Amino acid sequence: MKIGVVGLGLMGGSLARALKKYTSHTVCGVDTDPKTLRDAYAAGAIDCDTDTSACDIVFVCLFPQASIDYMLHTEFKENAIIADICGVKRFVEDQVSRPLYERGLRYVGTHPMAGKETGGFVHSDADLYQGASFIITLTDHTDSNARAELAQLMGELGFARITECSARKHDEVIGYTSQLAHIVSNAYVKSEAAQDFRGFSAGSFMDLTRVARLDPQMWTELFLMNGDILTAEIDELIANITALRNAILTQNERNLCAMLADGSEKKERLNKEIR
């Protein structure tokens, strides 16, 4: 089978590397950067870099709007599976699902739950997806055979779990588990106190600021495309922080201790569920 990977950054590059390492499929890489293509060839991640019109499966690994544009304006093989890996699903699905279906193509929204703070092909890794979850979002037009084919392929690449849900459910969960975490981390590191703490930092600071380093353009798109859900999560966070602040400001030891205990207990329950 011939598989196309459009966009050979961290995610697409890792996908191409994994396909070459763990399967016997031919991988066609597409990227606008000549150096990235040279690096991909040198790493043995791709077999060719022609267009994806002859590919049986095409993974579109670009920023959301660029992914939409590529899927809408590119010629694909009839009945090919077209899968974007964008971190928001409703916005993308609304733009491409019906047009691709009407062209005789099998669109499947997907999101591999893995990554790093650093981007680009240079940081890609064939084992990035080992043990990770792979999300498939379903529409009225989602082809069951395409779903099954992608699920089997992702299993070969090392994904430990395939999760199926609606695009809205995906965006609701990701708005909290990923996007809000990036918002908090990015805001937290802007404190003046962050400029002068040498010798005072332990693991807490590094844990909380790990994802503050991000691609501004990509995350701007993701935040705005999921703005309704994300702003609701931010509002809830502000309310929780405000309650803690007020308890500290008024020296309300009882309320403060109760709120801290509640958060600690919720985290403990989450740890047990995640295991």
Side-chain angles (χ1 to χ4, degrees):
M1 185 162 57
K2 190 172 185 179
I3 299 177
V5 179
V6 182
L8 297 173
L10 172 67
M11 302 298 287
S14 296
L15 181 59
R17 286 179 183 265
L19 286 165
K20 292 304 298 177
K21 181 175 180 178
Y22 293 108
T23 78
S24 58
H25 301 303
T26 299
V27 178
C28 177
V30 176
D31 201 281
T32 57
D33 180 21
K35 182 180 184 305
T36 294
L37 289 174
R38 292 195 298 271
D39 290 344
Y41 274 119
I46 60 175
D47 301 294
C48 58
D49 64 301
T50 54
D51 62 62
T52 55
S53 60
C55 292
D56 303 288
I57 300 176
V58 179
F59 291 100
V60 184
C61 310
L62 305 171
F63 289 3
Q65 188 59 56
S67 292
I68 292 168
D69 294 340
Y70 187 89
M71 288 185 281
L72 291 180
H73 303 298
T74 301
E75 291 299 320
F76 299 108
K77 181 179 179 179
E78 185 178 359
N79 205 42
I81 297 172
I82 313 299
D84 76 283
I85 68 164
C86 296
V88 289
K89 303 310 329 166
R90 289 177 302 161
F91 189 91
V92 177
E93 177 186 295
D94 289 347
Q95 298 294 314
V96 307
S97 178
R98 180 172 288 277
L100 292 181
Y101 174 75
E102 292 174 348
R103 288 168 54 188
L105 299 165
R106 295 181 291 168
Y107 167 73
V108 183
T110 73
H111 187 190
M113 298 305 298
K116 298 179 181 179
E117 301 83 60
T118 51
F121 183 82
V122 67
H123 297 290
S124 63
D125 182 355
D127 294 324
L128 180 66
Y129 302 118
Q130 292 296 306
S133 294
F134 187 79
I135 299 174
I136 294 176
T137 55
L138 306 177
T139 74
D140 294 338
H141 306 306
T142 304
D143 182 85
S144 59
N145 290 330
R147 288 162 54 189
E149 195 169 336
L150 285 177
Q152 179 179 338
L153 180 61
M154 293 305 107
E156 294 174 17
L157 300 189
F159 285 92
R161 176 184 298 177
I162 307 297
T163 299
E164 295 185 347
C165 63
S166 68
R168 178 165 189 87
K169 179 63 175 179
H170 168 277
D171 288 356
E172 287 175 346
V173 176
I174 291 300
Y176 171 70
T177 62
S178 177
Q179 294 182 346
L180 184 63
H182 283 78
I183 288 283
V184 171
S185 185
N186 195 269
Y188 176 67
V189 80
K190 293 175 182 177
S191 168
E192 285 299 318
Q195 313 309 315
D196 185 25
F197 64 86
R198 187 180 300 275
F200 290 87
S201 175
S204 298
F205 177 83
M206 297 305 295
D207 289 345
L208 189 53
T209 60
R210 182 179 65 83
V211 294
R213 183 182 180 188
L214 44 69
D215 186 311
Q217 183 59 49
M218 182 184 76
W219 284 96
T220 294
E221 287 192 31
L222 293 173
F223 291 159
L224 294 180
M225 289 177 180
N226 202 33
D228 56 338
I229 289 171
L230 180 56
T231 52
E233 291 292 349
I234 293 172
D235 289 343
E236 184 171 356
L237 176 67
I238 290 172
N240 290 331
I241 290 177
T242 299
L244 289 165
R245 173 193 177 276
N246 290 343
I248 295 169
L249 186 64
T250 60
Q251 294 289 292
N252 193 325
E253 181 178 353
R254 181 177 178 180
N255 283 358
L256 179 59
C257 187
M259 285 186 283
L260 293 176
D262 179 56
S264 181
E265 290 165 6
K266 283 183 168 62
K267 171 58 176 172
E268 184 61 28
R269 288 200 298 271
L270 285 173
N271 287 348
K272 291 177 180 178
E273 292 174 6
I274 292 172
R275 294 191 198 107

